[in-house]
Amino acid sequence: MEQRRGRSLRAPLAIVGVLGLIGGTVVAVRAMAGGDGNCSNGVRLVVAAAPDIAPAVRDAAVRWSATKPRVSGDCVQVQVRAAEPADVANQLAARAGGAINVAATALPSPADADVPTVWIPDSTAWIVRMQAVSREAFEPDATSVAASPVTLAVPDQLAGALNTAGTAGAPQVAALLTKVAAKQVQLAVVDPRRSTAGLAGAGLLYDSIVTEPKKLVDVVKAYRSIAVAADQAGLNKSTGPAQVAPMSEQAVIAYNATGPAVSLTALPVDPTVTLDYPYAMVSGKPRANLEAAGLFRTALADAGNRDLFAKLGFRGADGSTSAGFPAGRGAATAPVTVKPLTEPQKINDILGYWNATTAPSRVLTLVDVTSSMNRAMAGGGSPSRLQVLRKTATDGLGLFTDDSELGLWAYASGLPGGKDYQEVVPLNPLNQGQRARLTTAVAGAKTVGTDVSGLYETVLSAYKALKDGYKEGRSNTVVVFTDGANSKPGMSLETLKLELERATDPTRPVRVVLLGVGPDARQQELAEIAAATGGRSFVVTDPEQIGNIFLQALIRTN
């Protein structure tokens, strides 16, 4: 989930950086509205709108200006800023004292004057993600001002070859993946952490591929094959005759309007996902600003302004089209069902799989080498727990990107040096040499002649080691394989949880993920350790399940 953190101190250079963001790349379009054209002393209403819809919002503001709007006798000045939703979300998260994963550096807390009163992102998904940071971020009732269904943007000639029957669901995705494997098609996407269309596309891939648990690893391969763009402009530049990408219907219409060498067909995705452009009023703003925001919201919803949105390829908030809508190449005038992406768990799951698959990790793995690891995993005839662990760890190496960092410790009482743990492979970047060292170490792992485990001391030492070398932008995680419980006298479970709590630093979060292997693992104990760090715990008794659960364990849902 999105994480809260302490409010940042405002250093002068940091504030200059924020002002540069707000005044430069974020501010691209302005419309000044005042009753007499001179409203410098009136109510200033700042609207941050997604770049695709900002021109229509600007034109509506100009029309509204002609009506001489006033709040308590004061004129209203509207400033419409074209702003990437991810950048506004980053700013609002900083304002709330939290952080949101938008593939960008967290910002310092902004001055209130730099925060818009109204935010029109492309989807309610952004509101949901922000409410995970602060439930009080917005005033109630963020109503939609327009809609555009998410589609697969497919080059015209390729659309016919896919035999899509006008939609893109699991069968079409399967056909695409076959062509991707044969290097006939390139999948592309705007980073799902920054784009709702990209988020929907990643979800479509996941839903189409994972028809059973063991298919989860195939999502890793699919996600890793995707060409990722930072924004829609970057995606447009890379579009070619064999590139397929999730894009809104409106984005496809806008792209085709530029007269490209390769035109695109918009294939609606199945199940339907719609961009719904919510009009969200930011909480904590002066009453006059919020009143002006309410009046402007009414103006945007007025039927007299629908033409401004329709001519740019937007549908009404109800999914219908109106005069001027540029239909063609998959964009039909028939109404569509509006289904915005609003399920928090679905959003978190997609982002979690995307992060675990594509973002670099920093993982220290702890392997239980007590003698009990020689016992059968699940009764007579099944492989030993150590054999299952070896295979899982070896296969698991393929789940990490080359720019990840991995290290390996073994733990059991009485290891060389009298410690409860031993560093087998130091934590280093996962280059070819490091992969070879880890593979050799795992293959050669052997148990020792004791069943005494200093699990608690080992977990605490590993936690502190990762925190001391913490790296921003990575999943800093301790992964623990164990087949039992702490059996060394000394530290208690309550003491371990207290020590972990004392060591916790919200600005350097480290998770502990524990995988209990076999029927002797103590589920409640593992769960309590994991909960103390915001991690997860699993107990696995079926050798066939552990690979899938290992991938789930690495999921970072933000």
Side-chain angles (χ1 to χ4, degrees), residues 30 234 282 307 339 447 538:
R30 260 185 199 187
V282 177
D307 64 308
K339 289 187 177 179
T447 60
F538 304 85

Side-chain angles (χ1 to χ4, degrees), residues 121-128 142-150 196-197 199-200 269 271-279 316-319 336-344 346-347 350:
D122 59 11
S123 172
T124 297
W126 285 108
I127 308 301
V128 172
T143 56
S144 174
V145 300
S148 186
V150 174
T196 305
L199 185 66
V269 301
T272 299
V273 178
T274 315
L275 304 187
D276 61 326
Y277 300 89
Y279 187 98
D318 62 354
V336 299
T337 301
V338 176
K339 289 187 177 179
L341 191 55
T342 59
E343 300 174 44
K346 179 72 171 179
I347 293 170
I350 298 171

Side-chain angles (χ1 to χ4, degrees), residues 97 245 312 346 380 411 442 465 488:
L312 295 180
K346 179 72 171 179
Y411 69 96
V442 168
K488 178 184 177 182

Side-chain angles (χ1 to χ4, degrees), residues 128-203:
V128 172
R129 292 181 65 186
M130 269 304 306
Q131 287 177 333
V133 179
S134 172
R135 296 204 63 83
E136 295 78 37
F138 308 105
E139 297 292 318
D141 302 325
T143 56
S144 174
V145 300
S148 186
V150 174
T151 69
L152 271 191
V154 182
D156 288 348
Q157 59 271 39
L158 183 58
L162 287 176
N163 189 26
T164 60
T167 61
Q172 290 72 41
V173 170
L176 276 176
L177 291 175
T178 299
K179 291 181 178 295
V180 169
K183 300 190 182 302
Q184 297 171 348
V185 170
Q186 171 68 65
L187 294 179
V189 70
V190 179
D191 193 322
R193 295 169 294 181
R194 299 184 59 82
S195 161
T196 305
L199 185 66

